[in-house]
Amino acid sequence: MSHPQYLPSLRRVAVCGGTHGNEMSGVYLVKHWLQDPSELQRSTFQVTPFVGNPRAVEQCVRYIGRDLNRTFAPAFLNTKASDSDLYEIQRAQEINQIFGPKGSSQAYDFMFDLHNTTANMGSCLLVNSESNLLSMHMCNYIQKHCTVRHCPILFCQPPGEEANFTMSVAKNGLALELGPQPQGVARADQLAKMRSIMACALDFIELFNKGTLFPAFEIEAYKVVRRTDFPRYPNGEISAVIHPNLQDKDFQPLKPGDPVFQTFDGEDILDDSDDTFFPVFINEAAYYEKKTAFCKTKKGTFAQPAIQKGF
Amino acid sequence: MSHPQYLPSLRRVAVCGGTHGNEMSGVYLVKHWLQDPSELQRSTFQVTPFVGNPRAVEQCVRYIGRDLNRTFAPAFLNTKASDSDLYEIQRAQEINQIFGPKGSSQAYDFMFDLHNTTANMGSCLLVNSESNLLSMHMCNYIQKHCTVRHCPILFCQPPGEEANFTMSVAKNGLALELGPQPQGVARADQLAKMRSIMACALDFIELFNKGTLFPAFEIEAYKVVRRTDFPRYPNGEISAVIHPNLQDKDFQPLKPGDPVFQTFDGEDILDDSDDTFFPVFINEAAYYEKKTAFCKTKKGTFAQPAIQKGF
């Protein structure tokens, strides 16, 4: 049996809610934790909750000027922010200053980012890629120990694109994407699930910091490979909706020839790919403007080596 | 047997989608019907589809300056609109000019207004009150003949308040309130239901215009009697969410002492009324700002006389 990979202990952990101001589970949890952080406290590390986009939260919208969760790229972080810049560019620089700088040794050890989706994604765990060893072990721990069922792992980093999500500021990260929940609504069931997963994730860090050996494992995960837009009229307006057979079927196999859209004339539009995919973010409200009706993923099994805190 | 009440035939009918710009079933249906009105056409009357709040639709928000569906009151309609007025005041005056004037003999005979809600309201039929004889017969016809199940009737006019909804511009009106559907999302199932109900409602008008006698009947309906706000902190922020036992239970009996909220500390808050009510609009996203967590209704049975087209 080979040695585990030794990783440094985690000292500073951030929890962001309201990266999108109308995804209410994280907004209300973080506001609660800012008043009463007791349930975040563990003995071996410090946890800092914060509101990602306070102005968007105030107006209960996703963002003011541009999507904060696409703004942590060097082009936005490494220019001098001025008052004339979009609000989210200024805010991304503030967050980078407090919890980063991104890519530096001063950055926070871990960042959680709390999201909701209108899609039927269950309690989805978003990791950049399978090379995020610590996050992958955390996901494995959550799947094995959390009372919340159906926590599929999704790799959110499209191949060839850089990580520009809020959580990319810290050295490691995990985003929670819980749904279905409408924008601007807090459902008690989703709130409770998010809370349970967060508690379990913090327990994992505590155990890791205390020297627990986490053995090697294989785990199933989904990788985004393609985005599919709605059919549109020449003027850009959508000409069809998600087919009733596909609606709410996130993470379920979509086979070539399966119906994917239904036009306003009642015509079915069939999937024209030649392979089976597992669609996610089906009918996510915020993705209409991003020209994404759903994302196609491939399912894979990923082997991860054992880890333990280094000395 | 007494004579039926004789009512004038209907010649001009309007169908409004997008009174709220992020309630997508009506938005997409009306846009489709503006391109292809064939399914709205009947032999005895003319149907005019229109987008209620085009700027809000464009931005996919409920409204720009104020809620259009609360703007059809004399205070807004009877002043000279200037460019400095809120957009919805100008737009309400335009709609009133085209389809009204409200309360006048020139007004359209009937207006449909197509809405969605994030609450689990089914395919709810909104009528001002039981005195809207023609609308009540239409509801009865829909309940008996439409393939869509669960079409409860809700009287939306709070006692003592004047009708300031969009549909109040016409002589008669019916609003459809279909849910649950997130804001900014079009679900094929809700779209199909709205379409079926509209077809059935237009069939009813056609039969009425052709002289069909619609006999007297008794029908069950719900009347809003009270609005209940979320518990709030002194700073105005909500301190509890809808209790999981109440979530999605629209039109189901809520008894004194039943749990209605759950605080972020996990404490249950019980209903403190001394009577059974039937809550509706439970956790409607747009009502957080209106300080309404849900509306309490009373259920009643309402007798309606026979109607027939007058000569």
Side-chain angles (χ1 to χ4, degrees):
Chain A
M1 188 182 149
S2 64
H3 283 297
Q5 286 209 20
Y6 294 109
L7 301 174
S9 63
L10 309 185
R11 296 299 161 202
R12 294 183 305 163
V13 172
V15 185
C16 180
T19 280
H20 297 133
N22 54 10
E23 300 180 3
M24 304 312 286
S25 302
V27 168
Y28 285 124
L29 278 177
V30 160
K31 283 186 178 180
H32 172 69
W33 289 331
L34 285 167
Q35 298 299 315
D36 178 4
S38 54
E39 75 185 83
L40 297 179
Q41 286 158 3
R42 299 294 184 279
S43 67
T44 62
F45 61 100
Q46 165 210 321
V47 183
T48 307
F50 73 102
V51 175
N53 194 329
R55 279 201 209 162
V57 167
E58 203 178 321
Q59 297 181 31
C60 197
V61 294
R62 184 175 175 91
Y63 58 81
I64 305 295
R66 58 169 281 126
D67 192 334
L68 179 65
N69 209 31
R70 305 290 184 276
T71 307
F72 292 85
F76 301 114
L77 297 178
N78 299 338
T79 54
K80 191 166 157 49
S82 76
D83 287 350
S84 64
D85 276 324
L86 292 178
Y87 169 67
E88 279 80 8
I89 296 176
Q90 303 174 47
R91 181 61 185 146
Q93 296 199 3
E94 283 173 18
I95 291 171
N96 191 45
Q97 197 164 26
I98 300 168
F99 300 104
K102 175 174 170 166
S104 76
S105 60
Q106 292 90 58
Y108 266 52
D109 298 305
F110 205 98
M111 188 180 291
F112 293 95
D113 196 17
L114 307 181
H115 292 262
N116 294 112
T117 170
T118 63
N120 187 26
M121 301 268 285
S123 301
C124 181
L125 311 174
L126 264 78
V127 180
N128 264 336
S129 75
E130 67 268 28
S131 63
N132 292 79
L133 191 50
L134 191 83
S135 302
M136 289 301 287
H137 270 270
M138 183 182 280
C139 291
N140 185 49
Y141 185 86
I142 290 168
Q143 286 188 349
K144 287 202 166 51
H145 293 90
C146 188
T147 53
V148 176
R149 307 322 312 169
H150 192 51
C151 299
I153 300 167
L154 178 64
F155 298 134
C156 50
Q157 198 57 47
E161 293 183 27
E162 67 181 328
N164 54 9
F165 300 124
T166 306
M167 65 176 176
S168 70
V169 165
K171 290 173 188 154
N172 300 280
L174 177 70
L176 306 185
E177 188 71 77
L178 269 58
Q181 180 171 276
Q183 296 176 343
V185 166
R187 288 180 62 101
D189 51 0
Q190 300 290 0
L191 200 80
K193 285 178 191 172
M194 191 173 270
R195 215 163 179 166
S196 296
I197 294 170
M198 276 305 304
C200 191
L202 297 175
D203 290 346
F204 165 81
I205 298 176
E206 181 86 335
L207 288 170
F208 173 79
N209 279 346
K210 286 182 170 174
T212 305
L213 171 74
F214 293 94
F217 62 92
E218 289 197 336
I219 199 163
E220 194 175 76
Y222 299 81
K223 189 180 282 198
V224 173
V225 291
R226 181 179 313 176
R227 299 190 186 94
T228 302
D229 190 16
F230 289 97
R232 292 179 188 268
Y233 296 116
N235 69 0
E237 301 234 356
I238 75 168
S239 60
V241 292
I242 294 287
H243 195 278
N245 291 11
L246 179 60
Q247 178 70 46
D248 303 325
K249 301 288 168 46
D250 302 75
F251 294 110
Q252 295 182 32
L254 176 73
K255 295 188 288 295
D258 282 349
V260 284
F261 297 108
Q262 198 166 60
T263 71
F264 296 122
D265 292 322
E267 192 195 335
D268 287 355
I269 296 179
L270 310 180
D271 187 62
D272 62 356
S273 61
D274 51 4
D275 201 358
T276 294
F277 291 95
F278 297 82
V280 298
F281 287 114
I282 300 169
N283 221 349
E284 158 57 39
Y287 289 180
Y288 279 60
E289 68 170 24
K290 292 187 199 293
K291 301 198 181 308
T292 301
F294 58 90
C295 300
K296 285 180 171 174
T297 76
K298 295 300 278 183
K299 183 160 69 169
T301 302
F302 299 86
Q304 299 288 322
I307 62 167
Q308 193 168 26
K309 188 183 75 164
F311 297 99
Chain B
M1 190 183 148
S2 63
H3 283 297
Q5 287 210 19
Y6 295 109
L7 302 174
S9 63
L10 309 185
R11 295 300 163 202
R12 293 183 304 162
V13 172
V15 184
C16 180
T19 280
H20 297 133
N22 54 11
E23 300 180 2
M24 305 312 286
S25 301
V27 168
Y28 286 124
L29 277 178
V30 161
K31 283 186 177 180
H32 172 69
W33 289 330
L34 285 167
Q35 297 299 315
D36 177 5
S38 53
E39 75 187 84
L40 297 179
Q41 287 159 3
R42 299 293 185 279
S43 67
T44 62
F45 61 102
Q46 163 211 323
V47 183
T48 307
F50 73 102
V51 175
N53 193 330
R55 279 201 209 160
V57 167
E58 204 179 322
Q59 297 181 31
C60 198
V61 295
R62 185 175 175 89
Y63 58 82
I64 306 295
R66 60 169 277 125
D67 193 334
L68 179 64
N69 209 30
R70 305 291 184 276
T71 306
F72 291 85
F76 301 114
L77 297 178
N78 299 339
T79 55
K80 191 168 155 48
S82 76
D83 286 352
S84 65
D85 276 324
L86 292 177
Y87 169 66
E88 279 81 7
I89 296 177
Q90 302 174 48
R91 181 63 184 144
Q93 296 200 1
E94 282 173 16
I95 291 170
N96 191 46
Q97 197 165 25
I98 300 168
F99 301 103
K102 175 173 168 166
S104 77
S105 61
Q106 292 89 58
Y108 265 51
D109 298 304
F110 205 98
M111 189 181 290
F112 293 96
D113 196 17
L114 307 181
H115 291 262
N116 294 113
T117 169
T118 63
N120 187 26
M121 301 268 285
S123 301
C124 181
L125 310 175
L126 265 78
V127 180
N128 265 335
S129 76
E130 67 270 26
S131 63
N132 292 79
L133 190 50
L134 190 84
S135 302
M136 289 300 287
H137 270 270
M138 183 183 280
C139 292
N140 185 49
Y141 184 85
I142 291 168
Q143 286 188 350
K144 287 200 166 53
H145 293 89
C146 189
T147 53
V148 176
R149 307 322 312 169
H150 191 51
C151 299
I153 300 167
L154 179 65
F155 298 135
C156 50
Q157 198 56 46
E161 293 182 27
E162 68 180 328
N164 54 9
F165 299 124
T166 306
M167 65 176 176
S168 69
V169 165
K171 289 173 188 155
N172 300 279
L174 177 70
L176 306 185
E177 188 71 79
L178 269 59
Q181 180 169 277
Q183 296 176 342
V185 166
R187 289 180 61 100
D189 50 1
Q190 300 290 0
L191 200 79
K193 284 178 191 172
M194 190 172 271
R195 215 163 178 166
S196 295
I197 294 170
M198 276 305 303
C200 192
L202 297 175
D203 289 347
F204 165 81
I205 297 175
E206 180 86 336
L207 289 170
F208 174 79
N209 279 348
K210 287 182 170 174
T212 305
L213 170 75
F214 292 93
F217 61 93
E218 289 198 337
I219 199 162
E220 195 175 77
Y222 299 82
K223 188 180 281 199
V224 173
V225 291
R226 181 179 313 178
R227 298 191 186 93
T228 302
D229 190 16
F230 290 96
R232 293 179 188 267
Y233 296 116
N235 68 0
E237 300 233 356
I238 76 168
S239 60
V241 292
I242 295 288
H243 195 279
N245 290 11
L246 180 59
Q247 178 71 48
D248 304 326
K249 301 288 167 48
D250 301 75
F251 294 108
Q252 296 183 33
L254 176 73
K255 295 188 287 296
D258 281 350
V260 283
F261 297 107
Q262 198 166 61
T263 72
F264 297 122
D265 293 322
E267 193 195 333
D268 287 354
I269 296 179
L270 310 181
D271 186 62
D272 62 357
S273 62
D274 52 5
D275 200 357
T276 294
F277 291 95
F278 297 82
V280 298
F281 286 113
I282 300 170
N283 221 349
E284 159 56 40
Y287 289 0
Y288 279 61
E289 68 170 24
K290 292 187 198 292
K291 300 198 182 308
T292 301
F294 57 91
C295 299
K296 284 180 172 175
T297 76
K298 296 299 276 183
K299 183 161 69 171
T301 301
F302 299 86
Q304 299 288 322
I307 61 168
Q308 193 167 25
K309 187 183 75 164
F311 296 98

